[in-house]
Amino acid sequence: MCNVGRISTVSWLRPHFLKALTSGHIRSAACVSSSAVWTGLCSRGPPPRCSTKPWIRGAKSKATLILDDLPQGAIAYKVQTEEKKDDAPAYPTVVQQAKNNMRKFDNCVLLTRVGGFYELYFEHAEHYGPLLNLKVAQKKTTAGPVPMAGFPFFQLDRFLKVLVQDLDKYVAISEEFANNVTGKVKSGGLLFDRKVTRIITPGTLIDEKFMDPYENNFLLAIHVEDQPLGPKDQNDALPMAARKETLLSTMASSLVGLAWLDLSTGDFFTQATTMASLSSAIARIRAREIVLDKPLEEFDDCGLLSVLEEDRHLVTYHAAPVTLLPVSEWTPMLESAVPKTTESALTSREVVAGSSLLQYLKTQLQGLTIKLQPPIRRQAEEAMCIDRNSMRGLEIQETARDGAGKGSLFHAVRRTVTKSGARLLRDRLTSPSASLTIIQERLDLVTQFLVNPALRENIVLLLRRSFDSQRLVQKFSLARGDADDLVSLSQTIEVTEHIHETLSQFSKSAGPPCQSNSTEPACLRSILRRLNLDGPRTLAGRISEAIDEEGLLERERIEETDAVEMAALAQDVLADEGSPEDLESLPKQVRKKVAAKKVTDVSDRDLEYEDTWIMRQSASTTLQRLHNALGSLRQAKTELAENLQQSLGASSLTLRWTPGLGHICHVKGVKDVRLSLEPLNSARSVSSTKSTRSFYLPEWSNLGGKIDQAKLQIRAEEQRIFQELRELVILNLVKLRRNAAVLDELDIACSFAALAQEQSLVRPILNLGKSHRIIAGRHPMVKIGLEERGRSFVSNDCFIGDKERVWLITGPNMAGKSTFLRQNALISILAQVGSFVPAEHAEIGIVDQIFSRVGSADNLFRDQSTFMVEMLETAAILKQATPRSFVIMDEVGRGTTPEDGVAVGYACLHHLYHTNQCRTLFATHFHALADMTRDLPKLGCYCTDIAEDASGSFTFVHRLKKGVNRQSHALKVARLAGLPEEAIKVALNILSRNKNI
C-alpha cells in the first residue's frame, strides 16, 4: 500500500484540481463525480510513492547487467529545473478572446461584439470609457473583477466618430460568428466565436455615418527613391530649421511616388512628383491618413518626415512585404484590369506606392473583398499647380484665420445639389485644368445651362432626387449594401433615365448653341453618349419588382423600438455584473423607458406577426409559393383558435409564441382562467396568475412549428433574391460609376450657370498666351461679404503680361492692395476650373502654377520666426516659378530692418523679372523700390490712395491708378483702430521731426 498518508494525498491533489478547474478542463466541480476528477488528474501521473489502487506483490524476477554496458566516469550533475507554472488568471472564454485580440492588435482599440452590445475590457475600458462618456463597471469573474464598458450595437457609428475621427485612433472590430458542432466543443459550449473582421482607421472609412459627405476621405501612400536617412542624434548641434533646410535642399530633386484612394467611393489615383512639390501635392489631396514604410519610423531627420510635420498629418507606419505586388496583380482588387497604356506609363516609384497602399488596405480589411476603380494617373502638366501656401493664403477650401468653410472660395461658388457633385467641385478647385480643350468643353456646358434656364431647372430638380451613387455602389462592392441602398440606387437610376430623356428631347429641338460658331448643342450630345442605361435600367426594374418599400418602413419602425429593449438589457447586465453605483449611472430617461417596458410582460404579447418582409411576394415564384403556404398555415391557426374558443367556452383564448415559453395557448380574465382543460386531453398548463393562464397544446405546437419553418424558408428565399440583386449591381459596377460621374459633371455645370446668373459673371477667354487682360475684376468672396453688410465692391482692371510683366503696387494700408492681388489669382483659378469669372471681360493665358506670398505668421514650434517663414515661402517661389506661372507677393521683406527689407524686396523683383520671367503682382510699402526699378521696361507702377476733405475725414480710394503712392497713411489706420490719442500725437511729432531731417 501507499505509505503516504491521507493528508499528503489531498495536499497533492489541491493545486492540480484548482488548476484543472480554472483552466476549463473541469467546468464545474458540482457536476463532476469524484472518480472522474480523480481519473482526470491521475492521467498526469501518480504522486511520489503513491498509487491509485492497492499495491499487490508480484512474482520474483531476475535482471542481469554486463559491467561494460554501465556508464563509466563521473556522473554528470543535472540541474533540476522546475516546470514553469502558468500563473495567468483564467478568464471566461469571451473575456479571454478579447484579451488575446488585444495582444494581437496592440495598436488598436478593441470593440468586442457580445450579443446586442460592443464591449471594451481591461485597460481599454479604463482609458477610453471616460473619453466615450461610458460608465466603467467591474465584470465579476473567477479570476477577479475585470474592467468593462459597453454600448448598444446600433450606436457603433457614434462611438467610432469619437475614437477614429476625433481622437485619430485605430479600432479593431471583433464580431460574433455562430459556432458549428466542432467549434462548440472546442470553446466549451459557446454558441459564438469572435474574430476581428476589420480595422477601422481614419483613412479606411467606408460608410460610417459621421463621414463628411461633401469631401473625399483619402488614404495616401508615399514612396521616396533613395532618400537620405539620418539617425536621431545626427547633427543635433544644428538648429531645427537649419537641419531641415539642409535636408530639403539636398532632397529637392528626389523622385517621389504617390498613390491615394477613397475606400468609400473606389477612386484610385497615382502621381509621380519630386520632394520639392510634395507638400503642394499633399495639400491638394488632403489625406486623412498617410502610410509610410516601417523603417522610416526609426528616423526623425528624414526629409520626408520634415515635409509631413508641417501640417501634423496622421502617419501610419506599415511593414510592407519584401516582394511588392506588380501592377498585374492589382486586378483582383479592381473592377477591371489596369489599361495597358496606364500600366506602361506608371513609374517604378508609383508602382511601389500603389502596392504598399493596396497591401495596407488588405491588412486593415482583414480579407474583405474590394473593387476599386483602375488607377488614374495624375500628371503635373495636366493641371494648374497650387502650392500649399497658396492654397492656404487664397483660402480655396477653408479660411486662413479659423479654418472654417464659410468664407472660402469653395463656399462662395458652390451651388451644387448633390454630395458627390460637391466632392468633384472641391477636387477641381484644388486642381484646375491646364488643358485648353477640357476647359472649353466645361465652359460650353455651363453656357448651355446659362442660356437655357428652364433646362437647368429641370436637371437640378431631377438631381435633387438622386442619391450618392458613387458611395452606394462602393458599399455593394464591399458586400455591405442593404435593401435601403438598393432602393436608393434604383431611384438614382430612374433619375438618370429622366435626365437622359430630358437632354435628348432638348438636343433634338432647336436649342441655342453652346458657342457662337456652333450649329447644335454638341456639349449635350457628348454627355448623352457617355450615359449607358442598358444594364442599369434592367437592374432598377428588378429592384422595383423585388423590394417592398412598405416592408422596409415597417422594419425601420421595429428597429427604433430596439433602443428601448437594449436599454433594458443594459440595466439587466449592470444588475447582474455591476455594482449598485453602476446601476444608478444609467441616465434617468433610460431608466424611465425600462421601467415602462417592464410593466408589460413579454408573455402578454404575440410576437409572431412582428416579422416583416422586405421582398414582395411576387419577387419569385418560390417566394410566392412559400407565402401562399404561410397564409394557409395562418388560416389553419385562426380556425384552430376558433374551435378551441368554442370547445372551452373561452372567448379570450389566443394562440401565441413567446421567447420564453414557445407556442402556447393563452387566456385572460377571471372567468376564462377558471375553465377546466379536461376537454383537451393533451393540454398541459405551464403558467398561471389570477388573471391569466398559459398552457401547451400539441396541435398548436405542431402547427406553430410548421409556421416557423415556413418563415425560415421565406427568409432564406429573400436572402437568395437579395444576393442575386447584389450580384447584379456588381455586374453593372462600371456603368453605374460612369453614369454617376456624368451626373456630377451636370451638377457642377448647373451650379456654375446658376452662380453666373446670380453674380453677373462672364465667360473667360482662355488662350495659350502669357498675359492677363481682366476688366472690372472682383474678389468672389470679399464682394459677397461686403454685400451682406450693405456695402459695394470697387472693381479693378488688370492688364499684365506682354507689355508689363510685373506690376509694382503701392498705397495706404486698408486700401485694397492685398484684395487686388488675391482676386486676380482667384479669377485665374475659376477660369481654368471651367467657371465663369467675376469681371466684365477676361482674357487669360493658361497658367501652369500659382504662387502666393501673402500674410505672415511665425512657427515657433518649428524654430521659425515670422521672417524665416516669409523667406521660406519666397525661396520656393523663386526656385519653382516658370514663365507661365502667376505670382502674387505682398510686402516681402517687412519682417526685418527697412534697409534689409528694401534689399530683399529688390532682389526678389530682380529675380522674378530676369530669371523667372513670370506674371507678377508685387505689393509693397518700400517706395524706394519704385525708384530702383524704373529702368525695367516691362515693370509698371500702380497705386491706391486716400481722399481727404477739409474737415480731416477721409475715405479709401480702392481704384488702382498709374503711379507711385509714397505715403502709407499708417496713422489714419491706427486712429481707426482706436489707438489712444496721446499715442497718435506722439507718432505725429516723430513723423514730422523725421520729415524735417
Side-chain angles (χ1 to χ4, degrees):
M1 295 293 294
C2 177
N3 294 326
V4 181
R6 178 178 178 83
I7 296 179
S8 300
T9 304
V10 173
S11 300
W12 174 80
L13 279 175
R14 182 180 291 115
H16 290 277
F17 177 77
L18 291 177
K19 184 174 181 180
L21 185 62
T22 56
S23 63
H25 291 92
I26 302 175
R27 297 188 56 81
S28 175
C31 64
V32 181
S33 65
S34 58
S35 61
V37 172
W38 181 257
T39 302
L41 292 175
C42 285
S43 63
R44 302 170 180 265
R49 302 174 59 195
C50 179
S51 176
T52 59
K53 52 187 178 180
W55 178 74
I56 302 174
R57 183 181 182 90
K60 290 184 178 182
S61 61
K62 183 178 181 181
T64 304
L65 293 175
I66 301 174
L67 184 61
D68 293 338
D69 291 340
L70 295 176
Q72 305 297 315
I75 298 177
Y77 173 74
K78 292 184 180 181
V79 180
Q80 300 294 327
T81 57
E82 293 186 4
E83 182 181 354
K84 292 184 178 179
K85 297 181 180 180
D86 185 7
D87 295 329
Y91 296 106
T93 306
V94 174
V95 179
Q96 189 61 48
Q97 288 174 342
K99 192 172 184 65
N100 295 340
N101 284 330
M102 287 172 64
R103 291 196 189 105
K104 183 176 180 180
F105 303 93
D106 55 352
N107 64 331
C108 300
V109 181
L110 180 70
L111 299 180
T112 302
R113 180 72 179 263
V114 182
F117 286 82
Y118 282 102
E119 297 183 354
L120 300 95
Y121 297 101
F122 301 103
E123 61 269 21
H124 286 182
E126 292 179 321
H127 181 72
Y128 296 105
L131 295 177
L132 299 174
N133 200 25
L134 297 175
K135 179 66 177 180
V136 180
Q138 298 294 323
K139 183 179 180 68
K140 301 173 184 176
T141 71
T142 57
V146 174
M148 65 168 288
F151 54 86
F153 72 94
F154 52 79
Q155 292 184 333
L156 177 62
D157 278 340
R158 170 189 168 189
F159 291 100
L160 282 179
K161 177 185 181 300
V162 178
L163 290 170
V164 178
Q165 183 169 286
D166 299 342
L167 300 178
D168 283 336
K169 299 298 179 183
Y170 306 156
V171 178
I173 304 294
S174 177
E175 295 288 359
E176 291 181 330
F177 295 90
N179 270 327
N180 54 24
V181 177
T182 305
K184 289 180 182 179
V185 173
K186 290 182 178 180
S187 63
L190 289 180
L191 297 178
F192 296 96
D193 188 17
R194 289 167 180 82
K195 300 176 183 177
V196 172
T197 58
R198 182 183 166 204
I199 301 173
I200 302 176
T201 68
T204 57
L205 302 179
I206 298 176
D207 59 350
E208 284 69 24
K209 293 182 176 60
F210 58 84
M211 292 178 65
D212 186 351
Y214 304 106
E215 186 172 2
N216 285 102
N217 195 83
F218 283 127
L219 173 70
L220 169 67
I222 303 176
H223 175 72
V224 182
E225 288 188 353
D226 303 326
Q227 55 183 328
L229 301 176
K232 294 187 177 183
D233 58 349
Q234 184 176 359
N235 296 329
D236 281 346
L238 295 175
M240 185 184 300
R243 294 203 310 271
K244 176 184 172 183
E245 286 309 302
T246 301
L247 271 172
L248 293 184
S249 61
T250 58
M251 294 186 63
S253 59
S254 296
L255 302 179
V256 180
L258 304 178
W260 66 98
L261 59 82
D262 184 346
L263 190 57
S264 68
T265 63
D267 294 323
F268 185 14
F269 304 94
T270 68
Q271 181 180 345
T273 184
T274 62
M275 185 63 70
S277 303
L278 179 59
S279 61
S280 301
I282 293 175
R284 172 176 53 82
I285 297 170
R286 286 170 63 96
R288 287 282 286 117
E289 181 182 358
I290 297 177
V291 180
L292 299 180
D293 293 337
K294 186 71 172 177
L296 293 177
E297 192 174 8
E298 301 299 323
F299 303 92
D300 64 352
D301 272 348
C302 171
L304 176 57
L305 300 182
S306 300
V307 174
L308 298 179
E309 69 184 7
E310 286 293 324
D311 294 317
R312 302 182 183 180
H313 295 283
L314 175 64
V315 176
T316 299
Y317 296 95
H318 175 61
V322 178
T323 56
L324 295 171
L325 292 174
V327 178
S328 59
E329 296 186 16
W330 294 4
T331 304
M333 303 179 71
L334 306 177
E335 66 182 20
S336 60
V338 180
K340 293 297 183 182
T341 54
T342 303
E343 183 176 353
S344 60
L346 291 174
T347 62
S348 59
R349 52 192 181 278
E350 289 176 272
V351 174
V352 173
S355 298
S356 178
L357 184 67
L358 294 178
Q359 288 169 338
Y360 174 75
L361 197 60
K362 289 177 65 177
T363 301
Q364 303 307 86
L365 296 181
Q366 294 289 296
L368 185 66
T369 303
I370 59 174
K371 290 295 179 182
L372 303 170
Q373 300 182 52
I376 298 175
R377 188 168 188 266
R378 291 280 181 90
Q379 300 185 49
E381 60 273 13
E382 294 178 351
M384 174 197 293
C385 178
I386 307 174
D387 74 325
R388 179 175 59 91
N389 300 317
S390 301
M391 197 82 69
R392 185 188 302 115
L394 296 176
E395 301 180 312
I396 293 177
Q397 302 192 72
E398 57 189 25
T399 58
R401 178 176 294 274
D402 54 10
K406 185 176 182 180
S408 65
L409 179 63
F410 174 75
H411 178 267
V413 303
R414 181 190 160 224
R415 301 294 185 273
T416 53
V417 296
T418 66
K419 299 170 183 176
S420 53
R423 294 197 298 269
L424 180 60
L425 174 61
R426 189 185 294 273
D427 178 70
R428 287 188 177 179
L429 288 175
T430 57
S431 184
S433 177
S435 168
L436 192 59
T437 303
I438 292 176
I439 296 172
Q440 295 295 359
E441 290 176 354
R442 293 175 181 177
L443 290 172
D444 287 348
L445 194 58
V446 175
T447 302
Q448 189 66 63
F449 287 120
L450 179 62
V451 298
N452 295 285
L455 174 65
R456 182 179 76 243
E457 291 175 2
N458 289 336
I459 298 298
V460 169
L461 287 175
L462 289 170
L463 288 172
R464 289 184 186 276
R465 291 165 44 193
S466 68
F467 293 85
D468 193 347
S469 54
Q470 289 276 15
R471 286 184 168 172
L472 285 176
V473 170
Q474 184 64 6
K475 286 175 67 175
F476 284 103
S477 73
L478 292 164
R480 293 174 64 88
D482 55 22
D484 290 303
D485 296 326
L486 283 174
V487 173
S488 299
L489 192 58
S490 173
Q491 293 177 4
T492 303
I493 295 173
E494 292 175 2
V495 166
T496 307
E497 287 189 81
H498 291 314
I499 289 176
H500 186 276
E501 182 180 354
T502 302
L503 294 178
S504 297
Q505 292 177 355
F506 180 84
S507 181
K508 293 176 182 177
S509 65
C514 292
Q515 294 176 305
S516 58
N517 60 352
S518 177
T519 58
E520 62 177 1
C523 50
L524 296 183
R525 297 187 187 278
S526 174
I527 289 290
L528 289 171
R529 284 195 298 268
R530 293 167 56 194
L531 287 174
N532 191 334
L533 291 167
D534 293 339
R537 186 184 289 113
T538 303
L539 171 62
R542 182 73 181 101
I543 293 174
S544 300
E545 293 172 357
I547 302 293
D548 184 359
E549 295 188 38
E550 293 183 0
L552 286 178
L553 293 175
E554 179 64 17
R555 188 187 66 176
E556 291 175 0
R557 182 193 64 79
I558 293 175
E559 288 176 350
E560 289 177 358
T561 63
D562 288 344
V564 177
E565 296 180 1
M566 287 298 103
L569 184 57
Q571 191 175 38
D572 292 340
V573 170
L574 290 178
D576 294 340
E577 302 182 355
S579 62
E581 292 78 10
D582 296 332
L583 197 59
E584 290 298 323
S585 68
L586 279 176
K588 292 183 179 179
Q589 293 181 349
V590 173
R591 292 205 298 270
K592 288 180 181 178
K593 290 181 180 179
V594 173
K597 174 178 168 50
K598 288 187 175 180
V599 172
T600 304
D601 188 359
V602 74
S603 64
D604 290 338
R605 295 186 297 143
D606 183 9
L607 301 180
E608 178 190 346
Y609 289 100
E610 291 188 6
D611 289 314
T612 57
W613 312 112
I614 63 173
M615 298 291 174
R616 300 182 190 274
Q617 296 184 15
S618 59
S620 72
T621 55
T622 302
L623 193 61
Q624 184 68 65
R625 176 176 55 80
L626 291 174
H627 274 288
N628 292 338
L630 180 61
S632 300
L633 292 172
R634 282 176 170 166
Q635 180 61 33
K637 173 189 173 182
T638 302
E639 295 173 357
L640 176 61
E642 291 175 352
N643 292 336
L644 291 174
Q645 290 173 359
Q646 293 176 2
S647 62
L648 293 177
S651 59
S652 66
L653 185 144
T654 56
L655 302 179
R656 298 184 175 184
W657 178 89
T658 64
L661 301 177
H663 295 92
I664 58 172
C665 302
H666 183 77
V667 295
K668 63 181 178 179
V670 177
K671 178 182 176 182
D672 291 347
V673 169
R674 295 177 179 175
L675 292 175
S676 173
L677 298 179
E678 290 183 1
L680 306 175
N681 297 327
S682 57
R684 179 167 60 87
S685 180
V686 291
S687 68
S688 63
T689 64
K690 293 182 179 180
S691 58
T692 63
R693 186 177 183 183
S694 300
F695 58 91
Y696 286 132
L697 188 67
E699 291 86 343
W700 167 229
S701 297
N702 294 334
L703 180 59
K706 294 179 180 179
I707 292 176
D708 291 342
Q709 186 63 28
K711 289 180 183 179
L712 290 175
Q713 291 175 346
I714 291 175
R715 293 290 183 203
E717 178 63 12
E718 283 195 340
Q719 184 61 32
R720 187 196 66 78
I721 297 172
F722 179 71
Q723 187 61 32
E724 179 185 282
L725 293 175
R726 290 173 65 170
E727 292 174 356
L728 197 56
V729 172
I730 300 301
L731 291 176
N732 289 275
L733 193 64
V734 176
K735 296 177 182 178
L736 291 170
R737 281 175 167 164
R738 290 178 179 174
N739 291 346
V742 173
L743 297 189
D744 293 344
E745 292 183 21
L746 289 173
D747 191 15
I748 289 183
C750 291
S751 170
F752 282 158
L755 180 70
Q757 185 177 34
E758 173 191 324
Q759 298 292 330
S760 301
L761 310 183
V762 299
R763 174 170 177 158
I765 301 173
L766 279 298
N767 54 58
L768 298 178
K770 299 179 182 177
S771 62
H772 274 53
R773 182 177 175 82
I774 299 173
I775 300 176
R778 307 183 295 275
H779 194 294
M781 294 100 83
V782 174
K783 177 181 179 294
I784 295 175
L786 290 175
E787 290 176 346
E788 289 178 353
R789 299 194 295 271
R791 298 169 58 189
S792 60
F793 184 88
V794 178
S795 59
N796 270 300
D797 302 338
C798 179
F799 306 135
I800 187 171
D802 296 332
K803 293 184 179 180
E804 293 178 338
R805 197 169 57 238
V806 179
W807 276 24
L808 181 64
I809 304 170
T810 56
N813 298 103
M814 295 288 293
K817 299 190 303 297
S818 296
T819 299
F820 177 75
L821 265 60
R822 289 180 171 95
Q823 79 183 32
N824 288 287
L826 293 172
I827 288 173
S828 303
I829 291 173
L830 287 176
Q832 293 187 214
V833 164
S835 168
F836 284 27
V837 298
E840 292 183 4
H841 178 80
E843 294 182 35
I844 300 173
I846 295 291
V847 175
D848 65 349
Q849 300 179 86
I850 278 188
F851 295 99
S852 169
R853 161 77 283 282
V854 295
S856 62
D858 57 30
N859 191 348
L860 298 181
F861 180 75
R862 301 298 175 195
D863 195 20
Q864 296 172 357
S865 65
T866 303
F867 185 69
M868 183 63 178
V869 172
E870 179 183 317
M871 289 297 99
L872 287 172
E873 296 176 3
T874 303
I877 295 173
L878 299 183
K879 291 178 180 178
Q880 299 176 34
T882 71
R884 282 203 171 274
S885 299
F886 188 83
V887 175
I888 61 173
M889 303 189 79
D890 190 13
E891 300 185 27
V892 172
R894 66 180 175 179
T896 183
T897 64
E899 295 79 7
D900 290 347
V902 170
V904 171
Y906 177 78
C908 292
L909 273 173
H910 186 275
H911 197 280
L912 290 167
Y913 186 93
H914 292 285
T915 304
N916 302 107
Q917 299 182 9
C918 55
R919 287 161 276 185
T920 304
L921 298 178
F922 195 101
T924 184
H925 285 291
F926 296 139
H927 311 129
L929 292 178
D931 301 326
M932 300 170 69
T933 57
R934 67 178 57 176
D935 295 332
L936 301 179
K938 291 192 176 183
L939 183 145
C941 293
Y942 294 82
C943 66
T944 57
D945 207 348
I946 278 181
E948 190 171 5
D949 57 21
S951 64
S953 61
F954 67 94
T955 57
F956 292 106
V957 179
H958 298 287
R959 184 88 60 188
L960 261 71
K961 62 182 180 180
K962 191 82 173 178
V964 179
N965 191 333
R966 299 184 182 274
Q967 294 187 29
S968 295
H969 300 283
L971 295 184
K972 289 184 173 62
V973 178
R975 183 176 275 115
L976 284 177
L979 206 68
E981 194 61 32
E982 295 80 2
I984 297 292
K985 291 179 180 179
V986 172
L988 287 171
N989 291 334
I990 296 297
L991 188 61
S992 176
R993 185 186 309 169
N994 290 340
K995 285 183 179 180
N996 294 332
I997 296 176

